Amino acid sequence: MNCSLKSINSNSRRLLAAILLVLYSFPTFSAQQYQIFNLTEAFGSGHFVPTDINDAGDVSGVYIDGNNRFESRGYLYKDGQFLELESEESIFTEQETLQVKTVPVAINNGGQVFGGVSYRYENQFYSVASGLQFLWENGLRYRTGYGDYVQSNSDCYPIDINDHGNYLLTCDAADNVNRTIYVGGNTYIDIYVRGTDIFATAINNDNKVVGRYLGAAFLLQNEEINLLPNLTQSRSIANDINNQGQIVGAVYKQLSGSEQYAFISSPGGHVTALTFEGNAYAEAINERGQVVGQLQDASSATEAFLFTDGSVQKLNDLVTDNPTAMTLTHATAINASGQIIGKGTVGGADFYYLATPVSNACPGEYRKYNLSGHNAQWQRFIADIPSCATHMNVEITGGTGDRDLYLRHTNPPWKPLFDCKRRAAIPNSDNHKRCQISNPEPGIWHIGVLRNSNYDGTTLRVRYW
């Protein structure tokens, strides 16, 4: 009896170990899903490059004309339409009329768009770093630096604007050595810092500024600049700060190396690495503490990432429907609703996108394309089914090879543990496997695709209504 019990316990331990290996060794598919809107395709010609997004989902950006720099101009994507940020007025500077084009860099939650002005003067083209900036608010008005808050001999880079209308500039002095950070706006704030290696990247509603100073990430507040704790011995940069005081950026692992990791810093100064096996670079953070950026795995392929609920996830794995095989390579900004803007590739060409979280309501659908199984026995995914659903349909279709479909509520399925299993009696005889559940329990459903032989080109589709 004792021997039998030992044998049973030993087998149980082996089974438990196998289950734990499956649970923690294979990737899962997050419950948060995204729909992708191709901004480049919607714009129709040239490239619309998004630069920022506010909490209403309005996107500032610039149309890039590769053949004529002066024809590049600013736009606002709002309520499904592209609005050109131009007007008939000209700008008068030193009694001269200049033809101007706007280059937006940021938009705040009040709908104000801030950026630089490129212009043509006496057949010469002057770039956005010209000492001229604009502020658009239900119409266009320009600000000039001449005799105002920027010296006329400075080259100034517009950086950001907060919800109070205070804007952020980094300016090079005429000696091309000293550099100054300016914060100004409807009520001018006399905050500036000079340095030979300083560049600002973002400002929050408390007029706290972050960026890079002497090769390290810094925080500027109350006219005092401080390097972020624990990063003073590293090459680093702070790229964004939210209104909670959380800061994100990137740190090089070696002072002279190129490997880097993304970080998030708490308001108290505690710095935490966003863990991922490879290089990572954090671009932006929203008010919920969600972070976006890009990462590189061992294959050196660049992919956009989302950090949420304590984990880093590839944005490509969260896309619900991707029939054109888009690859999201960069994520540059995220708003409070979780909407993301960035860059990707499709058909070998670059494009720019707006990613919007899928509403967790009925009906709903998730899809994953081109699944393949060659080495791993299982591929596992997660679907979050809302309480409004009275029907759920999970199916795998297409491709070649032999694989089975498993489904289980709350916990991952295993060969003896499942709520639904679909197998083919003869390999390759039926590549369409479907599980249909009436009145599904709300919450997390785990989906498992079990490889019997190598398979390629499989599509996974989850529908609920």
Side-chain angles (χ1 to χ4, degrees), residues 111-126:
Q112 293 176 308
V113 181
F114 177 60
V117 173
S118 61
Y119 61 92
R120 190 192 303 277
Y121 174 62
E122 293 183 348
N123 294 322
Q124 295 292 319
F125 177 82
Y126 294 85

Side-chain angles (χ1 to χ4, degrees), residues 57-221:
D58 303 333
V59 178
S60 63
V62 59
Y63 159 71
I64 301 295
D65 188 324
N67 299 319
N68 187 343
R69 288 184 299 169
F70 187 65
E71 290 305 316
S72 301
R73 52 195 180 272
Y75 280 83
L76 175 65
Y77 179 73
K78 181 180 178 67
D79 298 329
Q81 296 182 328
F82 291 91
L83 175 64
E84 187 173 353
L85 302 184
E86 302 294 337
S87 74
E88 298 300 324
E89 63 182 296
S90 296
I91 182 170
F92 292 87
T93 302
E94 297 179 345
Q95 307 303 315
E96 301 289 347
T97 300
L98 307 177
Q99 296 175 312
V100 298
K101 298 293 181 181
T102 59
V103 183
V105 297
I107 182 171
N108 65 16
N109 288 323
Q112 293 176 308
V113 181
F114 177 60
V117 173
S118 61
Y119 61 92
R120 190 192 303 277
Y121 174 62
E122 293 183 348
N123 294 322
Q124 295 292 319
F125 177 82
Y126 294 85
S127 70
V128 66
S130 59
L132 301 179
Q133 293 80 42
F134 79 91
L135 182 69
W136 184 92
E137 185 178 16
N138 298 321
L140 189 62
R141 68 185 175 98
Y142 293 97
R143 297 179 179 273
T144 73
Y146 297 90
D148 192 357
Y149 53 85
V150 179
Q151 296 295 319
S152 61
N153 60 356
S154 296
D155 286 337
C156 289
Y157 304 85
I159 305 298
D160 199 7
I161 185 170
N162 66 18
D163 291 342
H164 302 305
N166 295 323
Y167 44 79
L168 177 64
L169 301 167
T170 297
C171 301
D172 289 335
D175 57 13
N176 290 322
V177 175
N178 285 308
R179 180 173 281 170
T180 307
I181 294 175
Y182 287 92
V183 178
N186 296 322
T187 55
Y188 177 69
I189 301 173
D190 186 14
I191 299 177
Y192 66 92
V193 176
R194 286 189 177 275
T196 57
D197 179 21
I198 188 167
F199 199 90
T201 56
I203 183 173
N204 73 1
N205 288 343
D206 293 326
N207 296 316
K208 295 178 181 179
V209 175
V210 295
R212 185 192 68 238
Y213 179 52
L214 298 176
F218 78 81
L219 170 64
L220 170 64
Q221 59 180 334

